[in-house]
Amino acid sequence: MSATAAARQILLSLHEVMASRSAPQDKLNRVVEIVARNLHSEVCSLYLLRDGMLELFATRGLNQEAVHVTRMAVGEGLIGTIAETGETLNLAEARAHVNFSYRPETGEEKFQSFAGVPIVHRERVIGVLSVQHVEPRRYEDIEIEVLQTTAMVIAGLIASAGLIDEEAAETGGAPRAPETLTGLVLVRGLASGRVVLHQPRVTIHQLVAEDTEAERQRVYRAFARMREQIEQMAAQVEFGGGGEHDEVLETYRMFAYDEGWSRRINEAIDSGLTAEAAIERVQQRTRMRMREIDDPLLADRMHDLEDLSNRLLRIVSGQLGTAASLGLTQDTILLARNLGPAELLEYDRRRLKGVLLEEGSLTAHVVIVARAMSIPVIGRLPGIRARVSEGDEVLLDANSGTVTLRPSPAMVEAFAVKNTAYRERQASYARLRDVEPFTRCGTRIEVMMNAGLRDDMSALSLTGADGIGLFRTEFQFLVSATLPQRERQTRLYRDILDAAGDKPVTFRTVDIGGDKAVPYLRSDAAREDENPAMGWRALRLALERDGLLRVQARALLDAAAGRTLNVMFPMVSEPWEFDAARAVFDEQLQLLRERRRRLPNAIRFGVMLEVPALAETLDLLLPRVSFVSIGTNDLTQFLFAADRANPKLAERYDWVSPAVLRFLARTVAAVRGHPVDLAVCGEMGGRRLEALALLGLGITRLSITPASVGPIKELIRKVHLGELQPQMRQWLADPPPSMRAALVAWAAERDIDTE
Ligand code: PEP
Ligand code: MG
């Protein structure tokens, strides 16, 4: 009988055993029989983890009296070594291994060779399956394969039959050691919870195939579908999508067409597995190899293969939803390679405590959304996926950028202390709520906050912000499955104005497109921008789909009846775009007038300055607007030609570099003398050092993330503009080698905290 046929025979027999109604112990006894018989092995034994020890549960060939008597610790003997490392052992001379330990009650002294594989459930070892022979011999690859496949098939049975500790079955076996990783802080804060994978692991219900040919066809179709998806993704970014993304796609492509991979899956199907089990089986093998790889570049590639394998598994099983669609059941730390803002918004805010991203960058919209939701985020954690399992406990310190996986009780305690100190500091900011942000020299700085959701409004009174300087109306579009109807928009805007009371609110018209894709507009956007950030987005989209802008204009005008309406247009590049957008509002206003509807008491129109070209024609635009708000997130990406969502460029350009500051200084000078309010509403203004630079440039209005209002107020109260501004002028004229270092030193001399 060929090796594949033997493997198939074992699987069929195992399938029969699994389907039978006998007690779990009987089933395990039969499992060791089947393996021993088919592999012509003198011994086959099965050890399971119970009460933290590996207990001999079933054997053929060793003394039966040893069953449920022989127990070893994780790490002890060969069995314990396999449980600890999760790796296979294949030894011609078992005794020669350093960890060999002899158990007389088993009667195993006469057996020389040994092979054992871990039984893995939910990525953790829950037991070990081993074979032994009298003759010294190394086991052939195919025999090891058979053992590993058997271990995979029986893992589910063991976990569901209550044969191992309840908790071990829940979280998957032996606890792994704590680990600490460091990443890039994207949204500050502290959080703890259990890991949930954004792309959940697929649950495999059937492992043994009933019709091998049908399974082969299923895999074949899934491969075709997956290749199609990758080609679509690649088509979107070709010609300048840029950077890391391209490389990842190239790797995806390479693997998607890799014959070795599909051949291995096919071989696993030949051995009698279902399509899902075959993909999983090959993935397990890859994972094991991944652990041995030291080369970070290669490990990255393996990681891409893992990603792709998961995609294939999802396609073949039809389990396509993210964890959001399954719902969160406990305090959660979400783990994803990357996320879109709409995907994040799908999660239950009460349960979602923190986010870990393998990639991520500071001004990506998903990060802005997380910041608005006060959800701490750490990014740039490549390889974390291989280090955690679903359900692991995590401490996330997004002040220092550290992630502690599976913390010890002492670590949890230390974290609680840190948390208390953090909360105290937050409380001290909260005490600044009613304190007006005057500089030391007596200039009142307006500190407003950015918002986008109804829930954000509670932060207005909690922080004591002066108003909403940027209300991102597109968030409502991002959270909706369909285009929000006018009534829904009106209701939201009215609620926002009601919640703001006397404080001003600036509504920005929809800024969708780019990385804020909405599914129901995709058919249009699918004109496939090669570079979405510079593509058909924001006002460009709104002016073309003017029905969209008309509805929004009407909703805003209705909502602001009897009050002041502040409207801001995003991504204006040339003055005519402002005129065109304003005309849409004027038309709606005229309509309301004709219908004798109640109108806003006043309407103030303004623009966001985020496309550098607009700065060149600001003199033409200024007489027509009431305010200008500088969106430094987009502005810097365009100024430096550096994609704000590309993690590789995340730390490359500095907001306090001479290029940015000189640009801003010229804008301040251009606006001076006009009755036009100038503000900064990008993320830059919410960071202390950057805010200090802005004050130095003469900016007196900031709109920032709510969590920054306290810290920035505290900073403002320590600054003397009479000292700072002349210094800034000098730095701009003759920039120091590092503007950042110069600012930090200047602040430190004055005891101003810039962290
Ligand atoms: C900006 O670009 O700076 C900005 C505030 O808008 P958004 O981040 O929503 O693009
Ligand atoms: Mg912007």
Side-chain angles (χ1 to χ4, degrees):
M1 193 163 33
S2 77
T4 311
R8 222 174 134 69
Q9 189 50 48
I10 290 189
L11 268 191
L12 286 175
S13 310
L14 283 177
H15 188 45
E16 246 171 60
V17 172
M18 298 298 170
S20 73
R21 289 170 170 261
S22 39
Q25 178 68 50
D26 290 340
K27 288 186 181 177
L28 295 183
N29 292 344
R30 286 171 63 194
V31 167
V32 291
E33 278 295 327
I34 293 167
V35 175
R37 184 166 11 100
N38 284 282
L39 289 186
H40 309 292
S41 156
E42 280 131 12
V43 176
C44 176
S45 311
L46 197 137
Y47 293 79
L48 296 184
L49 197 70
R50 189 146 71 171
D51 301 329
M53 298 288 281
L54 290 151
E55 181 174 317
L56 179 64
F57 253 72
T59 182
R60 200 199 79 166
L62 297 184
N63 291 338
Q64 290 303 318
E65 294 78 61
V67 173
H68 298 302
V69 172
T70 297
R71 306 179 87 220
M72 19 239 270
V74 173
E76 181 191 351
L78 300 179
I79 298 294
T81 304
I82 294 167
E84 189 178 54
T85 58
E87 276 158 28
T88 295
L89 282 182
N90 181 358
L91 309 168
E93 284 284 355
R95 275 161 210 282
H97 194 282
V98 283
N99 286 358
F100 178 81
S101 94
Y102 170 58
R103 288 302 177 92
E105 74 275 13
T106 59
E108 62 183 342
E109 61 275 17
K110 51 184 177 290
F111 304 107
Q112 309 226 27
S113 52
F114 171 98
V117 299
I119 302 170
V120 178
H121 176 65
R122 299 202 179 141
E123 298 175 43
R124 303 255 188 104
V125 179
I126 56 168
V128 174
L129 181 68
S130 67
V131 287
Q132 289 168 275
H133 272 84
V134 174
E135 290 298 307
R137 59 174 290 235
R138 252 184 87 80
Y139 292 83
E140 287 174 30
D141 286 354
I142 182 72
E143 292 174 301
I144 299 293
E145 271 290 335
V146 168
L147 276 183
Q148 287 172 342
T149 306
T150 307
M152 178 173 129
V153 172
I154 61 177
L157 161 83
I158 292 163
S160 60
L163 293 171
I164 49 171
D165 310 338
E166 190 94 334
E167 205 203 338
E170 219 12 75
T171 54
R176 286 199 281 167
E179 227 179 311
T180 300
L181 309 175
T182 309
L184 177 70
V185 174
L186 295 176
V187 180
R188 282 172 168 268
L190 296 175
S192 60
R194 301 264 170 191
V195 167
V196 167
L197 305 177
H198 173 59
Q199 300 281 13
R201 292 193 60 72
V202 169
T203 324
I204 302 179
H205 300 291
Q206 195 182 342
L207 292 144
V208 180
E210 274 159 17
D211 178 349
T212 293
E213 202 39 48
E215 297 302 317
R216 198 188 312 288
Q217 289 304 321
R218 290 180 65 221
V219 164
Y220 183 75
R221 281 197 300 275
F223 259 101
R225 178 84 199 94
M226 182 183 69
R227 288 173 185 158
E228 227 173 80
Q229 288 181 355
I230 289 165
E231 292 309 332
Q232 274 169 8
M233 281 193 269
Q236 282 171 20
V237 297
E238 221 134 73
F239 309 114
E244 194 153 61
H245 205 59
D246 271 358
E247 274 168 39
V248 170
L249 273 174
E250 227 4 88
T251 314
Y252 275 8
R253 238 186 193 157
M254 187 181 86
F255 283 127
Y257 291 94
D258 178 48
E259 282 183 10
W261 185 32
S262 49
R263 193 190 59 240
R264 282 191 290 279
I265 293 174
N266 257 311
E267 282 167 3
I269 288 180
D270 280 341
S271 75
L273 292 175
T274 57
E276 286 89 344
I279 298 167
E280 171 69 16
R281 178 71 199 87
V282 173
Q283 194 172 350
Q284 265 184 10
R285 236 183 288 153
T286 316
R287 229 176 265 141
M288 273 175 209
R289 247 185 301 152
M290 225 161 104
R291 283 204 210 110
E292 294 158 14
I293 295 175
D294 228 4
D295 176 355
L297 214 66
L298 214 57
D300 252 10
R301 288 279 152 94
M302 285 302 179
H303 181 66
D304 291 336
L305 178 59
E306 171 110 355
D307 248 19
L308 212 56
S309 188
N310 281 329
R311 180 181 286 263
L312 191 63
L313 209 49
R314 284 199 301 278
I315 294 174
V316 91
S317 64
Q319 297 174 36
L320 298 168
T322 67
S325 58
L326 303 174
L328 304 179
T329 56
Q330 54 191 340
D331 284 358
T332 295
I333 304 294
L334 189 68
L335 172 61
R337 183 165 191 159
N338 231 332
L339 276 178
E343 286 176 314
L344 179 67
L345 286 164
E346 274 168 21
Y347 282 93
D348 179 350
R349 280 181 86 165
R350 289 161 308 168
R351 296 252 158 84
L352 183 60
K353 300 296 174 193
V355 175
L356 301 173
L357 296 176
E358 292 176 83
E359 298 179 352
S361 70
L362 216 52
T363 55
H365 275 110
V366 64
V367 172
I368 292 176
V369 172
R371 201 169 288 133
M373 292 163 82
S374 298
I375 296 174
V377 183
I378 297 183
R380 313 299 301 279
L381 293 161
I384 184 175
R385 178 65 198 80
R387 307 186 114 87
V388 291
S389 304
E390 189 110 25
D392 274 356
E393 191 180 355
V394 179
L395 306 177
L396 184 156
D397 179 347
N399 294 325
S400 67
T402 52
V403 182
T404 310
L405 310 172
R406 302 172 294 275
S408 65
M411 291 167 167
V412 173
E413 213 170 288
F415 188 79
V417 173
K418 213 175 344 176
N419 208 0
T420 310
Y422 179 67
R423 304 266 163 247
E424 272 165 16
R425 183 146 192 206
Q426 293 306 105
S428 79
Y429 295 141
R431 282 194 288 279
L432 289 177
R433 192 177 78 161
D434 300 319
V435 175
E436 290 201 48
F438 280 99
T439 58
R440 267 178 46 225
C441 49
T443 305
R444 173 71 160 87
I445 307 294
E446 230 174 88
V447 181
M448 292 179 289
M449 60 169 246
N450 297 342
L453 297 166
R454 237 186 215 94
D455 291 357
D456 296 340
M457 296 307 288
S458 57
L460 191 56
S461 56
L462 288 176
T463 60
D466 289 316
I468 309 290
L470 166 64
F471 187 86
R472 292 181 164 103
T473 60
E474 65 275 8
F475 280 15
Q476 186 186 29
F477 289 66
L478 290 172
V479 292
S480 301
T482 54
L483 196 72
Q485 298 301 302
R486 190 178 54 153
E487 290 71 28
R488 265 178 61 206
Q489 294 186 37
T490 312
R491 222 174 307 134
L492 171 68
Y493 305 150
R494 193 172 287 138
D495 288 352
I496 299 303
L497 288 168
D498 286 347
D502 300 337
K503 295 183 176 178
V505 178
T506 300
F507 290 98
R508 174 173 78 182
T509 59
V510 278
D511 182 359
I512 36 185
D515 66 343
K516 288 184 277 195
V518 289
Y520 41 86
L521 279 179
R522 211 163 274 166
S523 60
D524 282 64
R527 281 188 270 169
E528 306 304 358
D529 277 324
E530 281 157 13
N531 186 341
M534 293 195 192
W536 191 60
R537 60 171 280 209
L539 197 60
R540 301 161 181 187
L541 181 151
L543 285 177
E544 202 172 308
R545 308 257 325 228
D546 66 340
L548 192 106
L549 190 58
R550 228 179 298 138
V551 167
Q552 188 170 35
R554 175 70 190 278
L556 284 167
L557 291 166
D558 278 342
R563 336 188 216 206
T564 299
L565 174 63
N566 297 292
V567 183
M568 176 157 80
F569 302 119
M571 289 281 289
V572 174
S573 314
E574 294 192 308
W576 72 264
E577 290 168 327
F578 169 79
D579 297 337
R582 183 183 166 150
V584 174
F585 275 76
D586 286 342
E587 185 190 287
Q588 291 302 308
L589 198 60
Q590 184 55 29
L591 210 88
L592 289 175
R593 237 182 237 124
E594 284 162 16
R595 292 184 189 165
R596 302 185 172 283
R597 300 287 287 269
R598 191 158 179 229
L599 305 176
N601 292 344
I603 309 179
R604 298 174 75 243
F605 289 101
V607 293
M608 287 195 70
L609 172 55
E610 44 190 350
V611 179
L614 188 66
E616 300 298 327
T617 50
L618 215 47
D619 57 322
L620 308 177
L621 183 69
L622 285 171
R624 307 179 216 171
V625 296
S626 301
F627 60 91
V628 171
S629 192
I630 307 176
T632 47
N633 304 338
D634 275 312
L635 181 68
T636 36
Q637 84 163 338
F638 297 134
L639 213 51
F640 286 107
D643 186 347
R644 69 194 258 188
N646 185 335
K648 260 196 182 157
L649 305 173
E651 296 133 285
R652 188 163 190 134
Y653 299 103
D654 196 346
W655 272 316
V656 292
S657 60
V660 175
L661 298 184
R662 281 183 176 179
F663 185 99
L664 296 178
R666 277 198 292 133
T667 307
V668 172
V671 174
R672 195 173 295 130
H674 290 266
V676 170
D677 294 341
L678 179 66
V680 168
C681 65
E683 300 307 302
M684 176 179 177
R687 298 163 69 93
R688 286 180 189 254
L689 191 81
E690 284 78 354
L692 186 65
L694 293 174
L695 295 174
L697 294 172
I699 300 278
T700 54
R701 281 186 188 81
L702 298 172
S703 189
I704 57 184
T705 191
S708 292
V709 171
I712 295 298
K713 273 190 178 185
E714 189 190 66
L715 171 101
I716 289 168
R717 287 160 43 82
K718 291 188 170 169
V719 173
H720 195 293
L721 295 179
E723 281 173 17
L724 176 60
Q725 291 182 346
Q727 176 64 70
M728 182 55 89
R729 275 194 293 276
Q730 202 181 317
W731 280 330
L732 289 185
D734 182 15
S738 163
M739 190 71 100
R740 180 164 287 272
L743 265 165
V744 168
W746 187 91
E749 275 166 26
R750 287 156 184 83
D751 201 22
I752 300 175
D753 186 1
T754 50
E755 257 303 295

